[in-house]
Amino acid sequence: MSVELVSAIRSLRRHRAHGTAAALTLALGIAATTAVFSVVEGVLLRSLPFPHADRLVDIKSRPPVTSGSTGDWQSPPFSLFDAWRGNAKAFEAMAAISMFDSPVLLSRGPAERVQAPHASAEFFALLGATPELGRLMTQDDDMPGAAAVAVLAHRFWMSRFGGQHNVVGQTLTLDTLSYTIVGVATAEFQSSVGPQANADLWLSLGPRLATSNTFPVTVVGRLTPGVTPDAARVQLDAITATEWVPGPRTARQLVAAVTPLRAVYVGRHTEPLLTMLAAVGVVLLIACSNAGTLLVARTVERSPSLAIKLALGARQSHLVRQVLAEGAVIAVVASLGGLIGAAWLVRLLITVGVAELPAAASISINARVLAASFAVALVTGLVASVAPTVLVRRTDVADLLRSSGLPGFSPVRSMARMHNVSVAAQATLTLVLLTAAGLTGRSFLRMVTLDLGFEPKNVVTGFLELRGPRYASMESRATFITNALAQLHTLRELSGVSLATGVPLHGGGGGTVRIHSRLGQAREEGVSLHGVTSEYFQTLGIPLLRGTTLTEAGPFKQVVVNHAAARLFFPSEDPLGAEVTLLPGTPLEWTGTIVGVVQDTRTFFQETPPPVIYYPLPVAPLRVAYIVVKAGSASVDLRHSLREAVHATDPAVAVEDVTAMTDRLSLLLGRQRFYGLVLAAFALLALALAATGMFASTSYSVSRRTRELGLRVALGAQRRKVVGLVIRQALRPAVTGIALGLPLTLVTTRALRSLLFEVEPGDPAVLVLTTVLFLAVCVLAGYLPARRSAALDPMTAMRAE
């Protein structure tokens, strides 16, 4: 161990206060930085757990965008995928799984809807899957008309089969078809994000291809080494134009989009996570600044001993190395404490953000994070040591010998300048972070207090789909609706029951309607169409604004419109009594009379409520519907009762996504809540560090000016004026930092746009509030040591060294 390191350890042991405070300050910054970097590393930097993941891409298609038209990227039809995989040389391999396959599992317990996509044989090889039991799909399973076989996901095997090893060879009934289980995938195959993550089991393509090859599929490909996504896209477009024969209902021309697989599954998390990393970087900078100020104060205190050492022949380089050694020791201690804090913070972040962070369970402090943490600790230790090192190198021996800690000499002047720069920098950074937290906080408050147009308390919804030939006719679906309502009404714990084709916060169907205005010609518009039963508005607590709602005793051909539809279609006339034709020109065309206007409800949380027309559900009942029930009290759990009632109506109909409306609302708020809480926590930590640094620096300044302040009091200065003097001098650098921070805040908070709802980045109210809050904290941090200075006894102060 070097002489400087031994001397540094001994010095820190003799003067624990400064060393402990600096180490604790750095430990807080390192803990927060390490925890956030663990999340960023686990989500953004860690490679997807597939072979050659850097060359994996997702492929979508759409019709070419022409002038005046737009188009969203969609999953291509299987026939197009088949043409691509047979001709695209830009890809080493290409695989597909079908979209929207959620059949009803009719064997092994109550009917349950499962996620069971049809997967091509290449799918498992492309993603590096291996079987836990049995085998995976083969090329023979892709042949049209091949035997129906299934591969179970590991978690589904454990939950529905109890991990039985004799599962291979057993059968499952999905809708009306039986599948033979041929294998089980490993648990690791579903441990991360990707096209495989949500499946319960995978089905062979053969039975699906026997009936159609136009169903949409998710396409994943692995690029040939050296081929770029743009080059692959050009080749796919050429194949589409020359080799593909579209089906009768498919667009005649499609273009491809080739996107890295990582960007598809974690891309939306990049901006907020990098914003969070920048925020914690601000905290670390403030911690470094505070630690540097404490070490400078310690250096100034030691100025007489440093002067004596220099006068006796010690080299400045030796003293500089000793200061750096002290910084290194503090950094090591801080890194150890920071790692302990980071381990706790990582668990907290995962718990709070489990619904928001992809593959949250795999986030941990691994070797890469540890290396980054120690690097951060080393850098912060060196940065904190820069100021005292410069102070030692630039101070003259004669000045040190004359100063004896008195104000007016170079060490103290340097200390004052460094203090002012440090406080100004901390004020600038803290204001930026406080404003960011204030903006996300106000945004979240707007979302929480948003008028949803209905009452979600005690309401539970479930989704069902009437499949198969049994429900091919509208009469059979109407009969199910009637029987299901009757069964649900037998549940005593319910205060409201309804079925609907669309509900708030979930969405619903849409279509074209023809409005027969009394003041002009009929007009056709696209709107949301919700078929509902008579108790729908009462169950959800949707206020009636005018007229009446749908009633069983009323006229059959009646409709209700929401306020948005009334404003759009009848801006200058009474909508009641007007006629509306639903789905004109189709076999389901139907005309009804408007009998009421109800409040707008949020179909999608962050979008303006669309125009909605409600019609009686027995009219043209669809195959899909939502069950809406309301409990008489908050203590009643309706989820099991809802499933049992539907099972009693028809055991082959499964209810899925059974969720309390309040839970649904909480899930929709999860993104803003998670990032808002993290930013608020870091902002408060930065504020606490900045206030602590200002308090410590002002306290040190007061202690250095004891004789000056005592002399002022002895000469008749009022104590309140002394307090005001100290506070004003302490606030000057903070006010300078605020002046610099305000324009910087207006620029940097633009990065938060994706996290804000009905709040602008430069919101004046937030800027004023955060500025006033920070100034108040600064005043308090300066007032406490200032009050102590005013309480000094003049005679004692005059004798102080």
Side-chain angles (χ1 to χ4, degrees):
M1 186 179 296
S2 67
V3 176
E4 289 83 1
L5 187 58
V6 173
S7 178
I9 295 174
R10 289 176 178 174
S11 177
L12 291 172
R13 288 181 62 185
R14 287 195 302 268
H15 305 278
R16 294 185 179 90
H18 285 87
T20 301
L24 181 60
T25 300
L26 288 179
L28 290 173
I30 291 171
T33 304
T34 302
V36 173
F37 182 73
S38 298
V39 175
V40 171
E41 190 274 338
V43 176
L44 300 182
L45 303 181
R46 193 177 302 174
S47 176
L48 295 178
F50 310 126
H52 309 290
D54 58 319
R55 290 192 277 130
L56 292 180
V57 293
D58 175 85
I59 307 173
K60 294 286 191 295
S61 66
R62 75 176 180 193
V65 176
T66 58
S67 177
S69 69
T70 59
D72 295 327
W73 295 107
Q74 304 290 336
S75 298
F78 180 86
S79 59
L80 180 55
F81 157 75
D82 201 27
W84 284 342
R85 69 172 171 177
N87 297 279
K89 305 302 182 184
F91 294 87
E92 283 186 343
M94 192 179 292
I97 58 171
S98 60
M99 298 288 293
F100 317 119
D101 279 336
S102 52
V104 176
L105 176 63
L106 296 176
S107 57
R108 307 196 64 83
E112 175 189 5
R113 193 172 299 281
V114 294
Q115 298 300 315
H118 293 76
S120 67
E122 303 95 341
F123 177 75
F124 297 96
L126 184 69
L127 299 184
T130 55
E132 177 88 9
L133 295 174
R135 67 173 179 86
L136 303 177
M137 300 298 181
T138 65
Q139 295 293 338
D140 291 339
D141 298 319
D142 286 356
M143 301 302 295
V149 299
V151 173
L152 304 183
H154 191 275
R155 64 174 178 232
F156 186 75
W157 172 53
M158 297 298 294
S159 62
R160 293 306 295 260
F161 292 87
Q164 299 174 6
H165 284 72
N166 62 347
V167 68
V168 175
Q170 296 186 31
T171 59
L172 291 174
T173 302
L174 299 172
D175 287 339
T176 58
L177 187 62
S178 292
Y179 288 82
T180 302
I181 300 171
V182 296
V184 177
T186 60
E188 291 75 18
F189 185 56
Q190 276 192 310
S191 61
S192 185
V193 296
Q196 82 300 340
N198 297 320
D200 295 310
L201 64 159
W202 296 272
L203 309 179
S204 56
L205 274 172
R208 185 74 183 269
L209 290 175
T211 59
S212 171
N213 69 346
T214 60
F215 54 90
V217 290
T218 294
V219 180
V220 180
R222 184 166 62 238
L223 295 172
T224 301
V227 176
T228 65
D230 283 341
R233 175 187 57 79
V234 171
Q235 187 177 111
L236 292 180
D237 286 346
I239 294 171
T240 302
T242 59
E243 304 294 335
W244 177 56
V245 178
R249 297 184 180 180
T250 308
R252 304 299 298 178
Q253 185 180 5
L254 295 175
V255 294
V258 181
T259 309
L261 196 64
R262 166 171 289 281
V264 172
Y265 290 98
V266 303
R268 77 181 188 93
H269 302 280
T270 301
E271 184 177 323
L273 282 179
L274 291 181
T275 300
M276 194 165 69
L277 189 61
V280 79
V282 170
V283 174
L284 184 62
L285 287 175
I286 294 173
C288 287
S289 177
N290 268 349
T293 301
L294 289 169
L295 292 179
V296 167
R298 167 70 183 134
T299 303
V300 172
E301 280 188 356
R302 297 163 58 192
S303 57
S305 64
L306 293 175
I308 292 173
K309 290 179 179 180
L310 289 171
L312 293 176
R315 296 180 180 179
Q316 276 192 335
S317 59
H318 170 74
L319 298 180
V320 168
R321 287 198 301 271
Q322 184 175 344
V323 172
L324 290 175
E326 290 183 8
V329 172
I330 289 173
V332 170
V333 174
S335 66
L336 295 176
L339 284 176
I340 295 173
W344 177 80
L345 281 176
V346 167
R347 290 195 296 269
L348 180 62
L349 287 173
I350 292 173
T351 301
V352 175
V354 64
E356 169 61 21
L357 299 173
S362 64
I363 296 173
S364 61
I365 300 179
N366 55 24
R368 180 190 290 186
V369 175
L370 284 174
S373 177
F374 280 113
V376 167
L378 179 61
V379 171
T380 53
L382 292 175
V383 169
S385 303
V386 166
T389 299
V390 172
L391 185 61
V392 171
R393 290 184 61 86
R394 292 186 178 181
T395 302
D396 183 70
V397 177
D399 275 343
L400 284 171
L401 288 172
R402 288 196 306 268
S403 69
S404 298
L406 293 175
F409 292 95
S410 60
V412 179
R413 291 197 303 270
S414 297
M415 169 63 182
R417 286 194 296 269
M418 291 178 183
H419 157 66
N420 290 337
V421 172
S422 173
V423 171
Q426 291 182 46
T428 299
L429 297 175
T430 303
L431 184 64
V432 171
L433 200 49
L434 272 178
T435 304
L439 289 171
T440 54
R442 189 175 189 193
S443 174
F444 183 70
L445 184 62
R446 286 282 183 91
M447 297 178 77
V448 170
T449 58
L450 183 67
D451 182 11
L452 301 174
F454 72 101
E455 177 51 59
K457 187 178 180 181
N458 299 340
V459 174
V460 174
T461 62
F463 177 79
L464 56 84
E465 183 175 359
L466 304 177
R467 292 191 169 199
R470 184 174 180 181
Y471 293 106
S473 67
M474 289 190 293
E475 292 77 10
S476 61
R477 298 197 289 273
T479 300
F480 174 85
I481 290 172
T482 302
N483 294 339
L485 283 175
Q487 189 66 40
L488 289 166
H489 275 295
T490 63
L491 302 177
R492 297 180 180 179
E493 61 265 32
L494 301 184
S495 63
V497 177
S498 180
L499 266 70
T501 60
V503 292
L505 305 184
H506 287 74
T512 302
V513 297
R514 182 184 299 126
I515 307 298
H516 304 275
S517 172
R518 292 186 291 268
L519 300 181
Q521 296 181 346
R523 56 185 289 196
E524 292 190 1
E525 296 280 353
V527 298
S528 294
L529 295 175
H530 292 179
V532 300
T533 55
S534 59
E535 295 182 47
Y536 176 81
F537 303 103
Q538 177 186 351
T539 303
L540 282 173
I542 300 175
L544 176 66
L545 303 181
R546 298 190 59 194
T548 63
T549 58
L550 306 175
T551 60
E552 294 179 356
F556 186 70
K557 291 192 174 182
Q558 56 184 343
V559 297
V560 169
V561 300
N562 70 344
H563 191 217
R567 290 195 309 269
L568 176 64
F569 300 133
F570 307 97
S572 58
E573 63 177 302
D574 186 358
L576 299 184
E579 290 189 341
V580 178
T581 299
L582 279 63
L583 305 175
T586 71
L588 299 178
E589 179 177 334
W590 179 83
T591 300
T593 302
I594 299 176
V595 297
V597 179
V598 296
Q599 181 66 278
D600 295 335
T601 60
R602 293 273 173 169
T603 303
F604 300 103
F605 190 81
Q606 294 182 336
E607 296 181 7
T608 302
V612 180
I613 295 180
Y614 302 93
Y615 62 91
L617 188 56
V619 176
L622 303 179
R623 287 182 176 269
V624 296
Y626 291 92
I627 301 176
V628 185
V629 294
K630 185 170 186 176
S633 67
S635 61
V636 177
D637 187 355
L638 297 176
R639 286 171 288 191
H640 179 71
S641 299
L642 191 152
R643 288 191 174 95
E644 288 295 319
V646 173
H647 183 74
T649 305
D650 186 346
V653 175
V655 184
E656 61 179 314
D657 194 22
V658 180
T659 313
M661 271 290 189
T662 50
D663 292 340
R664 174 74 175 174
L665 184 60
S666 178
L667 181 64
L668 293 174
L669 292 172
R671 180 179 175 85
Q672 281 73 17
R673 179 173 53 244
F674 173 66
Y675 290 110
L677 284 174
V678 171
L679 278 176
F682 291 155
L684 291 176
L685 179 57
L687 182 62
L689 288 174
T692 302
M694 187 172 182
F695 174 81
S697 299
T698 306
S699 297
Y700 177 78
S701 177
V702 168
S703 68
R704 303 297 299 178
R705 300 172 61 190
T706 299
R707 279 187 287 180
E708 175 203 340
L709 297 175
L711 181 60
R712 289 177 182 272
V713 174
L715 292 177
Q718 296 180 358
R719 295 182 184 275
R720 62 181 178 83
K721 291 187 176 181
V722 174
V723 172
L725 173 67
V726 174
I727 292 177
R728 284 195 302 274
Q729 292 179 345
L731 284 180
R732 284 174 187 169
V735 172
T736 302
I738 291 174
L740 295 173
L742 285 174
L744 182 62
T745 295
L746 294 176
V747 175
T748 55
T749 52
R750 293 176 183 174
L752 297 174
R753 282 191 180 275
S754 64
L755 298 176
L756 300 182
F757 174 69
E758 296 185 354
V759 176
E760 290 299 318
D763 187 81
V766 174
L767 287 174
V768 171
L769 181 62
T770 53
T771 303
V772 170
L773 173 62
F774 183 65
L775 274 175
V777 172
C778 289
V779 169
L780 180 62
Y783 172 74
L784 295 176
R787 187 181 64 175
R788 189 173 67 249
S789 70
L792 289 171
D793 178 65
M795 296 305 296
T796 303
M798 294 292 291
R799 291 195 300 269
E801 287 295 328

